[in-house]
Amino acid sequence: MFERAHSQLGPVFWCDFGFGHDTLIVLGEAGMEVFRSKATNSSHLAQLETFLGKSMLVVDGPDHKRMRGASGHAFTPAGLRRAKVGDIIGETVARRLGEWQGRERVPVVVDTRTIALEVIFRVMGVEVDDLQAWSKWYGEYTLGALNLPLEFPGTPLWRAKRARRWLDERIRKMITTARSKDDHDSLVGAMVHGRDDQGAGMSEAELIDNLLILGFAGHETTASTMAWSMIHLAHHPEYWDQLREQATALDGVPRDFKVLAERVPIAVGIFRESLRLYPPVAQDTRLVHAPFEIAGYRVSPGSTVGTSLMLLSRSPDLYEQPERWLPERWVDRERKPTPVENCQFGGGAHFCLGYHMALLEGTMFLVQAARTLAAWGVRPAPAGAMPKPRFLPLVQPPRKAELRLEKAR
């Protein structure tokens, strides 16, 4: 739709998303100003109260800075090491991939979601035996992201509120446990006891809201990119061979992203390229609260402005052959990705808190997959045509997408 609008109307146009949600869409690099400008904020997301609560995704200014400051240390590479996140990822991925042995076809979308779900819940302290229930209620809770105002038994909003009550109760118990044990090292414990530079932390309600979003963002987005990576590897055996060669040259799977990037650079390239083509959040918006100029237009306060992260990620001004999956774009580079190249993680003050964890988990998964399948003498192969993405609530492959495992050549 945005591509068609661009061809007919140019890079700036109004879009009516229904229910009174008129949004000024600004495409291209100019759209990144939506995230950088102090004249915009995320307060319009408060209408998604059931889904987002008053998490740091919704608030701005001092409250956002306080929440971010109290949580940020837990998500740095050092914080992830303290919480032993790499060990949790490694053990979970190895065990779950082991279930593929002897199978001719695997439901890659379902299985990567299961892996990512178990990883984030184990990091949060959820017992593995409870994963099925958590998965069920999280699936119901995410219906709140659809932002449909109708509420009566059976509607998405009604189901989301019911799930939220179940999840709130259990996350509250996790917070109480972290406090009673004086846990500062686990990810939840670090957030519970975290303080910003002024010594301020988060209230229990803020912790619940932010941990809920952490559970959602920590598995749905990473799982989607891992699935796309494996689907493309099945269709591009030349990249699988590169990945297998680099991964099997290791004695084991490193738990540190810097080491992974040095020893298996193609794995990083594969994950980043899949993320580029299929950013889980296809577009993002902000509310204008002060006179704001963007792309040569002056926008009045009260307007909603957004940009398409998918089209920015596929811009011919930024990438050669932008529609092609070319992992080598990200290999042997002497610089870090720019903010525009990292747009899939958002921008400005709301840049994704889980950036380091997503890269670590996605890369470890690909390295472990290559080592595991190589040890069995098999490789991924297509189970049909390249699937088309679905866009709601996130950009994902069809749930029924599969891979074949065939004997290695």
Side-chain angles (χ1 to χ4, degrees), residues 372-386:
T372 299
L373 299 190
W376 298 339
V378 299
R379 65 190 303 149
M386 177 65 68

Side-chain angles (χ1 to χ4, degrees), residues 112-113 219-229 278 280 395-397:
T112 54
R113 187 174 186 271
H219 77 272
E220 289 286 3
T221 55
T222 307
S224 173
T225 307
M226 293 193 302
W228 282 119
S229 296
Y278 310 100
V395 180
Q396 296 172 314

Side-chain angles (χ1 to χ4, degrees), residues 121-379:
F121 284 169
R122 286 184 62 190
V123 166
M124 291 171 64
V126 175
E127 296 294 333
V128 175
D129 293 343
D130 295 336
L131 287 179
Q132 188 172 359
W134 279 79
S135 178
K136 169 194 169 183
W137 289 111
Y138 246 104
E140 294 282 291
Y141 154 73
T142 56
L143 292 173
L146 295 177
N147 198 24
L148 298 177
L150 305 176
E151 184 181 357
F152 51 84
T155 62
L157 181 58
W158 181 87
R159 292 165 62 188
K161 286 186 175 181
R162 181 181 60 173
R164 172 89 199 225
R165 289 191 292 271
W166 190 94
L167 293 164
D168 280 3
E169 179 183 348
R170 281 147 186 86
I171 291 179
R172 188 174 288 108
K173 290 180 180 178
M174 292 164 51
I175 292 169
T176 300
T177 299
R179 284 189 173 132
S180 65
K181 292 183 176 180
D182 198 28
D183 171 16
H184 291 255
D185 293 329
S186 73
L187 191 142
V188 172
M191 291 179 67
V192 167
H193 295 287
R195 298 291 182 269
D196 66 8
D197 293 339
Q198 281 68 49
M202 287 189 280
S203 68
E204 182 173 281
E206 290 169 341
L207 283 166
I208 291 173
D209 289 340
N210 283 293
L211 285 168
L212 269 172
I213 291 300
L214 169 65
F216 168 73
H219 77 272
E220 289 286 3
T221 55
T222 307
S224 173
T225 307
M226 293 193 302
W228 282 119
S229 296
M230 290 300 295
I231 290 168
H232 274 278
L233 284 168
H235 285 263
H236 297 278
E238 68 276 17
Y239 290 107
W240 174 259
D241 289 339
Q242 290 183 50
L243 176 63
R244 175 187 50 77
E245 182 178 350
Q246 292 182 14
T248 55
L250 302 173
D251 294 331
V253 181
R255 275 33 175 172
D256 183 274
F257 177 73
K258 185 176 180 180
V259 177
L260 283 164
E262 292 173 351
R263 301 291 301 278
V264 198
I266 192 62
V268 180
I270 290 166
F271 187 76
R272 278 199 173 274
E273 183 67 350
S274 299
L275 183 66
R276 180 188 72 82
L277 278 180
Y278 310 100
V281 179
Q283 65 265 341
D284 204 354
T285 60
R286 296 288 188 270
L287 181 70
V288 179
H289 63 82
F292 176 51
E293 187 169 307
I294 185 169
Y297 293 87
R298 193 164 183 80
V299 187
S300 301
S303 301
T304 303
V305 184
T307 192
S308 170
L309 301 179
M310 175 164 277
L311 291 192
L312 184 58
S313 292
R314 297 179 178 221
S315 170
D317 296 331
L318 299 173
Y319 304 99
E320 293 184 14
Q321 303 180 75
E323 298 296 326
R324 289 190 61 191
W325 187 76
L326 298 172
E328 62 266 27
R329 298 182 201 275
W330 308 97
V331 178
D332 295 330
R333 290 161 47 113
E334 295 182 356
R335 59 176 177 81
K336 295 180 179 179
T338 65
V340 172
E341 291 171 329
N342 265 335
C343 71
Q344 305 85 13
F345 293 98
H350 288 272
F351 186 79
C352 178
L353 196 64
Y355 172 79
H356 294 292
M357 183 172 172
L359 290 178
L360 177 64
E361 183 176 357
T363 308
M364 285 184 67
F365 166 77
L366 290 170
V367 173
Q368 183 65 58
R371 289 171 60 85
T372 299
L373 299 190
W376 298 339
V378 299
R379 65 190 303 149

